[in-house]
């Protein structure tokens, strides 16, 4: 069988080799006198090898005799290099300027934590990143390039989970021969290497013991070609591919993990159809559109292995459970296609903490638990596409009636309880001929809901002056008239104490949405403010009264019917998303030959969509004929109820108290 050693950007025909660096027995990293399990240094080296995202930079010292800026001693990875050219340093004003410029630049670099001791102008320098400290391995992953004149610098950390980058100049507006980040990563041709060039050796006993502690057997190590070599270096300019690529050729199910150790762990659980990404996870999901294939540098291994992935009908993403691991799963799914992806949720290793990855599951819970986690992989979520299982928690709460208002909230009127109840997230259209008391009835309903359940409301009532609306609401709450005027009919007005208490109630219960300039508000403006009221004040209901007081400008090619449909869709989405009940008052069109009977919902001016799209449709109608009955008698006609749990079509009769604005049950009509 052909095989591949996978390191950074490297591909040749040995798909399973995993190289572990060899540590000399006379070093501090491995010692016969120190138990291997207590050694922290080998573990950090192994972590580096199992996440092979490291770029090695060769640093050269300038030997140009005519250079105005003499080379400085260079220290890289413990070795010093300096120019052998012994050229006397001439004293030039330009040279002093460059020295000063580089000195200022170094101070700026030191402020952000970059060690400038070995930085040399005109060269790439390989340093420890001050942001990530090189990860567990302490690798020198920060590449910094200083312009030849010492006037500017750019840097980038090549650790996948860091990616810190930046640039600075010694002086603003400097004419420094600055560079860009693209210069930090020169484009190089891919090269092929042979297995014998790697000088691989079988694993030493200490490394075999290390893998054993992680429950990776020697058999698995041998089958996957895990070996060691005597020097810790990586092969550059090679092609990135998955580790274990041969194992997924022709497979219908493919498992992708974040690290080579996780691939080995899955083999212990019986899964060989598994590959590991070559260079770890990104810190977060990119907010940008997917780049073209030739610019998708971070994920070139996907494109290089597209033929093997194309054969699979199901891709199981078993990345780490931390945020970078979930970001990696999302980036892979975006490129592979979410419709063929599944995802794994790692089980808990205790009462609180979840296992981080496949190897942790193997170590803490065993091979059977790891196998079960893979077999229970879920469909990768696609925005807008769901299963009922995604809503089982909500459905369970609905069935057990733990949400609070499963069958709706009572209106406070016994005559209406069997016909209409208020359900969060629904839209109620209220209509009626002018002076029927539509707004008064809604105000009375809101007062009842507040008294019963403590609901708060946002009011967009453009026909009411604020002071007049306050009076109406206070009269219903205090149950006394605001003034001692003719309408009070000898009833004592509310006291100062009652008025002050009512003001506090008014302020706590209602929040006003008003446009204080001459412009007419549109529905989107109202809903944006209502959303703020929901989030800031916890309102449960929104009143928009009336429809014809809003700005309804629409494109020339859009009909009123299309506009009304779109507007009501926006209102319903707001109601459902925020669990807020919306009452929308709409007047009927001019009724010809009207004989005094209640209008129909189809009589609403504008469109039949008012009845088609609402959850509830109510007509408020007041008797105007003394011969037909009391003039304080109000019909509440329930013309539409979408949710049979909350009500049904029918009529109820209430009596209107003109003094206080209250509505009470008409016991004679029960």
């Amino acid at each position: 069988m052909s095989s591949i050693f996978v390191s950074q950007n490297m591909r040749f025909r040995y798909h399973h080799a995993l190289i572990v660096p060899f540590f000399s027995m006379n070093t501090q990293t491995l010692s016969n006198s120190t138990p291997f399990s207590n050694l922290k240094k080998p573990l950090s080296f192994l972590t580096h090898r199992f996440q092979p995202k490291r770029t090695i930079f060769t640093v050269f010292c300038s030997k140009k005799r005519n250079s105005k800026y003499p080379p400085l001693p260079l220290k890289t990875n413990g070795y010093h290099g300096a120019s052998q050219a012994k050229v006397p340093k001439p004293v030039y004003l330009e040279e002093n300027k460059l020295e000063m410029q580089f000195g200022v630049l170094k101070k700026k670099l030191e402020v952000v934590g970059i060690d400038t001791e070995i930085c040399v102008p005109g060269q790439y320098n390989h340093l420890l990143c001050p942001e990530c400290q090189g990860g567990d391995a302490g690798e020198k992953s920060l590449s910094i390039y200083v312009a030849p004149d010492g006037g500017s610098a750019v840097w980038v950390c090549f650790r996948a989970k860091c990616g810190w980058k930046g640039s600075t100049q010694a002086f603003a507006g400097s004419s420094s021969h600055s560079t860009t980040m693209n210069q930090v990563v020169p484009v190089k041709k891919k090269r092929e290497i042979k297995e014998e060039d790697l000088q691989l050796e079988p694993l030493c006993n200490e490394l075999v013991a290390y893998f054993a502690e992680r429950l990776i057997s020697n058999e698995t190590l041998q089958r996957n070609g895990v070996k060691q070599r005597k020097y810790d270096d990586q092969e550059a300019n090679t092609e990135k591919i998955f580790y274990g690529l041969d194992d997924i050729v022709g497979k219908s199910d493919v498992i992708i993990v974040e690290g080579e150790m996780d691939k080995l762990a899955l083999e212990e659980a019986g899964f060989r159809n598994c590959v590991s990404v070559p260079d770890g996870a990104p810190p977060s999901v990119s907010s940008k559109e997917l780049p073209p294939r030739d610019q998708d540098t971070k994920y070139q291994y996907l494109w290089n292995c597209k033929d093997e992935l194309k054969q699979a009908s199901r891709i199981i993403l078993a990345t780490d459970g931390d945020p970078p691991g979930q970001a990696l799963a999302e980036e892979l799914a975006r490129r592979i296609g979410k419709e063929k992806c599944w995802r794994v949720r790692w089980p808990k290793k205790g009462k609180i903490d979840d296992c981080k990855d496949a190897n942790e599951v193997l170590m803490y819970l065993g091979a059977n638990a790891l196998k079960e986690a893979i077999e229970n992989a879920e469909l990768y979520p696609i925005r807008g596409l769901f299963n009922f299982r995604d809503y089982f928690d909500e459905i369970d709460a609905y069935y057990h009636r733990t949400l609070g208002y499963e069958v709706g909230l009572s209106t406070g009127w016994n005559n209406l309880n069997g016909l209409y109840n208020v359900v969060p997230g629904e839209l109620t259209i209220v209509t009626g001929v002018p002076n029927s008391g539509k707004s008064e009835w809604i105000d009375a309903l809101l007062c009842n809901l507040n008294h019963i359940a403590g609901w708060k409301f946002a009011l967009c009532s453009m026909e009411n002056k604020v002071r007049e609306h306050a009076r109406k609401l206070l009269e219903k709450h205090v149950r006394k008239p605001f003034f001692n005027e003719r309408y009070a009919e000898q009833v004592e007005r509310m006291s100062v104490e009652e008025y002050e208490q009512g003001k506090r109630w008014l302020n706590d219960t209602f929040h006003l949405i008003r446009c204080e300039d001459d412009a007419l508000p549109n529905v989107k403006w109202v809903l944006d403010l209502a959303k703020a009221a929901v989030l800031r004040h916890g309102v449960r209901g929104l009143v928009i009264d009336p429809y014809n007081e809003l700005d309804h400008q629409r494109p020339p090619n859009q009909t009123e019917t299309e506009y009304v449909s779109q507007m009501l869709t926006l209102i319903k989405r707001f109601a459902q998303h925020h669990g807020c009940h919306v009452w929308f008052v709409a007047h009927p069109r001019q009724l010809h030959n009207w004989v005094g009977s209640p209008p129909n919902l189809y009589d609403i001016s504008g469109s039949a969509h008012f009845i088609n799209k609402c959850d509830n449709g109510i007509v408020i109608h007041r008797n105007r004929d003394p011969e037909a009955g009391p003039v304080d008698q109000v019909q509440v006609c329930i013309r539409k109820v979408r949710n049979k749990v909350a009500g049904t079509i029918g009529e109820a009769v209430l009596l209107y108290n003109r003094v206080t604005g209250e509505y009470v049950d008409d016991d004679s009509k029960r």
Side-chain angles (χ1 to χ4, degrees):
M1 160 178 158
S2 64
S3 53
I4 190 164
F5 155 51
V6 182
S7 182
Q8 179 182 343
N9 294 341
M10 187 170 82
R11 183 175 192 169
F12 64 89
R13 303 256 51 94
Y14 185 62
H15 284 214
H16 287 298
L18 176 63
I19 284 68
V20 181
F22 174 80
F23 305 101
S24 174
M25 292 301 105
N26 60 2
T27 66
Q28 295 179 356
T29 59
L30 286 180
S31 172
N32 293 330
S33 62
T34 304
F36 184 78
S37 60
N38 294 330
L39 290 177
K40 295 183 179 179
K41 191 67 174 177
L43 186 57
S44 66
F45 272 81
L46 287 168
T47 303
H48 159 68
R49 180 56 58 188
F50 293 142
Q51 296 181 353
K53 173 64 175 171
R54 183 182 183 191
T55 304
I56 305 300
F57 293 87
T58 304
V59 183
F60 298 95
C61 297
S62 172
K63 295 185 180 180
K64 290 184 64 178
R65 293 181 179 271
N66 59 352
S67 171
K68 291 183 179 180
Y69 197 87
L72 299 177
L74 176 64
K75 181 177 70 176
T76 305
N77 295 331
Y79 293 93
H80 292 267
S83 171
Q84 301 301 313
K86 299 180 180 179
V87 180
K89 177 181 176 182
V91 180
Y92 296 123
L93 291 177
E94 181 67 20
E95 181 181 79
N96 293 336
K97 176 182 176 181
L98 293 180
E99 286 183 350
M100 179 186 70
Q101 183 167 261
F102 186 42
V104 172
L105 180 69
K106 289 202 295 183
K107 289 181 179 179
K108 290 187 176 182
L109 293 173
E110 288 169 357
V111 168
V112 296
I114 296 178
D115 182 5
T116 61
E117 180 183 356
I118 68 168
C119 290
V120 177
Q123 297 181 358
Y124 294 100
N125 304 272
H126 198 202
L127 309 173
L128 188 70
C129 175
E131 289 292 309
C132 66
Q133 297 298 314
D136 294 336
E139 58 181 307
K140 294 181 178 180
S141 55
L142 183 74
S143 173
I144 179 170
Y145 178 80
V146 179
D149 62 1
S152 65
V154 292
W155 62 88
V156 62
C157 177
F158 285 98
R159 287 193 70 247
K161 292 188 178 182
C162 179
W164 181 55
K165 60 184 177 181
S167 63
T168 189
Q169 289 181 313
F171 301 104
S174 169
S175 59
S176 167
H177 303 290
S178 59
T179 182
T180 64
M181 278 299 164
N182 292 332
Q183 289 177 275
V184 179
V185 190
V187 178
K188 299 180 181 180
K189 294 182 179 180
K190 295 184 178 67
R191 66 190 183 94
E192 293 186 1
I193 54 178
K194 299 178 181 180
E195 182 178 354
E196 52 267 26
D197 297 334
L198 297 173
Q199 303 178 31
L200 305 180
E201 296 179 353
L203 294 179
C204 63
N205 293 335
E206 290 86 350
L207 289 177
V208 172
Y210 167 76
F211 282 106
E213 286 185 2
R214 304 185 76 89
L215 302 188
I216 307 300
S217 66
N218 193 39
E219 179 184 358
T220 297
L221 295 173
Q222 291 181 5
R223 199 197 73 82
N224 285 273
V226 182
K227 298 183 179 181
Q228 69 182 40
R229 64 179 178 183
K230 291 185 177 180
Y231 56 94
D232 182 19
D233 196 4
Q234 288 200 321
E235 303 297 337
N237 309 324
T238 51
E239 187 179 32
K240 286 185 183 179
I241 64 168
F242 286 113
Y243 169 63
L245 186 59
D246 273 352
D247 283 339
I248 66 170
V249 173
K251 302 296 184 183
S252 59
D253 284 0
V254 170
I255 305 169
I256 300 178
V257 294
E258 189 174 329
E260 291 87 346
M261 188 68 77
D262 295 323
K263 177 198 165 29
L264 302 178
L266 280 172
E267 183 156 329
E268 295 294 338
F271 299 100
R272 290 188 177 182
N273 53 327
C274 177
V275 290
S276 169
V277 300
D279 53 5
S284 60
V285 178
S286 173
S287 59
K288 300 178 181 179
E289 295 291 329
L290 288 180
R293 172 177 176 174
D294 58 342
Q295 299 177 23
D296 199 11
T297 308
K298 166 71 177 172
Y299 301 96
Q300 272 301 310
Y301 57 86
L302 278 175
W303 299 107
N304 295 336
C305 303
K306 64 181 180 64
D307 291 337
E308 288 82 0
L309 293 177
K310 188 176 181 180
Q311 300 174 31
S313 58
R314 187 170 73 140
I315 307 293
I316 300 173
L317 303 177
T319 55
D320 289 5
D322 57 9
Q326 296 306 298
L328 173 62
E330 178 66 16
E331 294 290 2
L332 293 176
R334 290 173 69 194
R335 290 161 173 79
I336 295 170
K338 294 182 179 179
E339 66 279 357
K340 66 185 297 185
C341 290
W342 297 58
R343 67 176 178 182
V344 173
R345 295 187 182 275
W346 301 120
K348 291 187 179 297
K349 61 181 176 183
K351 292 184 178 180
I352 300 177
D353 296 333
D354 293 333
C355 290
K356 177 179 175 290
D357 52 33
N359 190 238
E360 273 203 0
V361 177
L362 178 65
M363 292 174 64
Y364 289 102
L365 303 177
N368 288 336
L370 179 54
K371 181 179 180 182
E372 183 177 352
I374 298 298
E375 291 177 343
N376 290 334
E378 304 171 350
L379 289 166
Y380 199 89
I382 299 176
R383 185 176 182 181
L385 181 62
F386 304 96
N387 292 324
F388 269 107
R389 181 177 59 187
D390 300 325
Y391 295 91
F392 276 172
D393 289 344
E394 181 181 343
I395 296 170
D396 290 344
Y398 187 43
Y399 175 79
H400 295 291
R401 300 186 66 168
T402 58
L403 295 174
Y405 308 107
E406 289 79 12
V407 297
L409 185 62
S410 171
T411 62
W413 296 300
N414 294 328
N415 289 0
L416 267 178
N417 281 345
L419 302 176
Y420 175 68
N421 290 276
V422 180
V423 178
E426 290 189 351
L427 168 63
T428 296
I429 298 293
V430 180
T431 191
V433 297
N435 294 318
S436 294
K438 301 181 292 295
S439 300
E440 286 272 12
W441 179 80
I442 290 177
D443 285 348
L445 173 62
L446 303 188
C447 291
N448 288 353
L449 295 176
N450 175 260
H451 296 159
I452 293 170
W455 277 25
K456 298 180 180 181
F457 306 93
L459 304 177
C460 183
S461 185
M462 280 79 73
E463 286 186 333
N464 274 312
K465 294 180 180 178
V466 172
R467 64 187 184 187
E468 292 297 328
H469 204 175
R471 175 184 62 77
K472 295 175 184 179
L473 291 168
L474 285 172
E475 287 178 339
K476 292 174 175 62
H477 175 67
V478 180
R479 298 180 179 179
K480 290 183 179 181
F482 196 81
F483 294 119
N484 281 331
E485 298 299 330
R486 285 175 297 177
Y487 79 92
E489 298 178 0
Q490 309 302 318
V491 177
E492 183 183 1
R493 73 182 295 198
M494 63 185 69
S495 66
V496 174
E497 291 78 11
E498 290 170 329
Y499 168 66
E500 292 297 332
Q501 181 276 331
K503 282 168 52 181
R504 290 192 294 271
W505 167 82
L506 199 67
N507 191 64
D508 291 341
T509 304
F510 301 99
H511 303 276
L512 304 178
I513 296 176
R514 299 188 67 83
C515 188
E516 296 298 333
D517 53 31
D518 294 335
L520 288 177
N522 57 34
V523 167
K524 185 179 183 306
W525 180 83
V526 172
L527 295 181
D528 286 344
L529 291 175
K531 176 183 176 181
V534 170
L535 299 177
R536 177 174 290 186
H537 303 297
V539 305
R540 302 300 302 271
L542 167 66
V543 176
I544 304 176
D545 180 14
Y547 163 74
N548 60 356
E549 288 289 333
L550 296 174
D551 180 12
H552 300 300
Q553 293 187 31
R554 61 182 190 272
N557 60 344
Q558 187 181 44
T559 66
E560 184 177 17
T561 297
E562 293 169 338
Y563 167 76
V564 170
S565 174
Q566 186 181 71
M567 175 192 67
L568 293 176
T569 296
L570 288 176
I571 295 174
K572 289 191 65 175
R573 286 181 178 173
F574 164 82
Q576 292 171 1
H577 182 73
H578 296 287
C580 181
H581 196 103
V582 179
W583 292 270
F584 195 4
V585 177
H587 294 311
R589 64 178 181 270
Q590 185 175 358
L591 300 176
H592 299 285
N593 303 318
W594 181 57
V595 295
S597 60
N600 195 292
L601 287 176
Y602 285 107
D603 293 326
I604 296 176
S605 176
S607 171
H609 280 304
F610 280 106
I611 185 172
N612 295 338
K613 290 212 164 187
C614 70
D615 297 294
N616 309 284
I618 297 177
V619 177
I620 302 297
H621 188 68
R622 180 171 61 85
N623 178 39
R624 289 171 170 78
D625 184 2
E627 296 182 359
V631 291
D632 61 351
Q633 183 175 286
V634 177
Q635 290 175 262
V636 181
C637 308
I638 311 301
R639 296 299 191 221
K640 179 182 179 182
V641 176
R642 190 188 303 275
N643 181 3
K644 67 179 182 181
V645 173
T648 188
I649 294 174
E651 295 184 7
V653 177
L654 302 175
L655 298 178
Y656 175 63
N657 185 333
R658 189 171 181 272
V659 175
T660 63
E662 295 177 274
Y663 288 78
V664 296
D665 286 309
D666 184 355
D667 294 335
S668 66
K669 298 296 182 179
R670 288 190 180 181

